[in-house]
Amino acid sequence: MAAVKRTKKTADTNDELQPSTQAQELLDKKAELRRDLIERRQEIRPSARSAKSRDICNQLLELLKASGIKGKGGQPATLAVYAALRYEVDLDRFIRGAYAYGYRIVFPCLVPNDASAGTMSMRSVSCNNYLGGNVPFIVDPRKPWGPAVTEEHQTYMSTRAGATRRFIPSRVKGSVPPKDDTRFPVIPPSEIDLVIALAVAFDAQGNRLGYGRGTYDRYLPQLREDCMLLGVAFAEQEVEAVPIDKHDRTIPRFITA
């Protein structure tokens, strides 16, 4: 009987370990594909990358004009874009055109308290601020940026009734004075009408591989059902099949060049 019990325990243990092993194998496949595709993208000549980005932006502007997207609640239609890092599809031409058409533009911004978990919000940026080139989460999208008075301070600091709260620098990296937080207000997902998401790799089924932090996979489910969702990538980034997990979100359409 003892031998039978040990065998059953071993079998149960193997059953418990199997999902974890499968999950790790999937992560390894994604990491390998990510390395290969980032290298492939970097091999595109700068002149070709610029021409491809311009082509993608022109396609996006044509699609935007034909879409008839309207804002909700009296607001102009709101477009979520991203600030390109080196080697990524550069949306600058599209962003400038969208500003000229009167759209409200929002950019992803990593949340300081949850940056390690890949949590992001979308912050509105005016045309003047965008053209001025001094928006922190556009200059370096990889760094968290957020309000100065965080939950940490609300817990440990108190202000007497009627007193004016002064700026208290947060221990959370990326904290900012309240006036700067007001300059770039967080826009709720319910107000966003179109999202353009970048990709490291994609396939014909709309499966997308990002940088592995899951920021878009967490954010996209918060959008309205009628929010238009587009992916952008260079044609060289298309693969036969992207390894996917149950939480990975598909993109209905990719714009490429």
Side-chain angles (χ1 to χ4, degrees):
M1 292 297 292
V4 173
K5 287 182 179 179
R6 281 198 298 271
T7 302
K8 186 177 186 303
K9 184 177 181 181
T10 302
D12 291 343
T13 302
N14 288 338
D15 289 341
E16 291 171 3
L17 290 175
Q18 190 175 6
S20 178
T21 302
Q22 290 175 343
Q24 187 57 52
E25 288 177 353
L26 180 63
L27 289 174
D28 291 342
K29 285 181 181 179
K30 286 185 174 183
E32 183 179 1
L33 181 62
R34 189 176 293 114
R35 286 192 299 269
D36 292 344
L37 268 294
I38 288 176
E39 185 176 339
R40 184 187 301 180
R41 188 178 62 186
Q42 291 174 349
E43 290 173 352
I44 302 173
R45 287 177 291 118
S47 58
R49 193 160 51 243
S50 295
K52 287 172 176 286
S53 290
R54 186 167 58 250
D55 188 344
I56 290 171
C57 286
N58 288 340
Q59 291 183 61
L60 288 171
L61 286 170
E62 288 299 320
L63 193 154
L64 184 60
K65 286 190 287 186
S67 69
I69 291 176
K70 302 291 183 183
K72 301 288 189 291
Q75 288 280 1
T78 300
L79 316 181
V81 296
Y82 66 87
L85 295 173
R86 193 179 180 189
Y87 306 119
E88 294 174 347
V89 175
D90 188 353
L91 294 182
D92 180 66
R93 182 181 179 88
F94 170 76
I95 293 169
R96 290 169 182 260
Y99 275 128
Y101 291 146
Y103 291 98
R104 180 170 62 167
I105 308 297
V106 299
F107 288 82
C109 180
L110 291 176
V111 178
N113 289 340
D114 298 317
S116 60
T119 303
M120 71 180 184
S121 61
M122 291 287 180
R123 288 182 176 270
S124 178
V125 176
S126 71
C127 183
N128 286 340
N129 281 323
Y130 176 76
L131 296 178
N134 60 352
V135 181
F137 47 94
I138 292 180
V139 174
D140 191 348
R142 296 165 297 187
K143 288 186 177 180
W145 189 91
V149 182
T150 63
E151 290 180 7
E152 174 190 39
H153 291 105
Q154 292 170 357
T155 301
Y156 294 106
M157 309 296 290
S158 60
T159 305
R160 68 184 185 277
T164 301
R165 182 185 292 276
R166 62 187 177 83
F167 170 58
I168 305 168
S170 171
R171 291 199 297 269
V172 178
K173 219 172 169 185
S175 61
V176 298
K179 64 179 181 180
D180 286 339
D181 185 46
T182 304
R183 282 174 64 206
F184 310 116
V186 173
I187 304 302
S190 60
E191 293 185 17
I192 297 175
D193 303 292
L194 181 149
V195 173
I196 300 175
L198 59 80
V200 173
F202 70 100
D203 62 26
Q205 290 70 47
N207 296 311
R208 168 189 172 273
L209 180 69
Y211 287 103
R213 301 187 71 177
T215 49
Y216 279 95
D217 292 323
R218 292 183 180 89
Y219 191 83
L220 296 181
Q222 303 175 56
L223 299 169
R224 301 192 320 267
E225 288 187 6
D226 65 340
C227 178
M228 183 180 292
L229 181 58
L230 299 172
V232 292
F234 300 120
E236 290 85 346
Q237 295 173 251
E238 185 172 4
V239 297
E240 185 175 341
V242 171
I244 57 172
D245 199 355
K246 60 183 179 181
H247 70 269
D248 292 326
R249 307 293 296 187
T250 58
I251 306 289
R253 182 176 177 182
F254 274 87
I255 308 299
T256 65

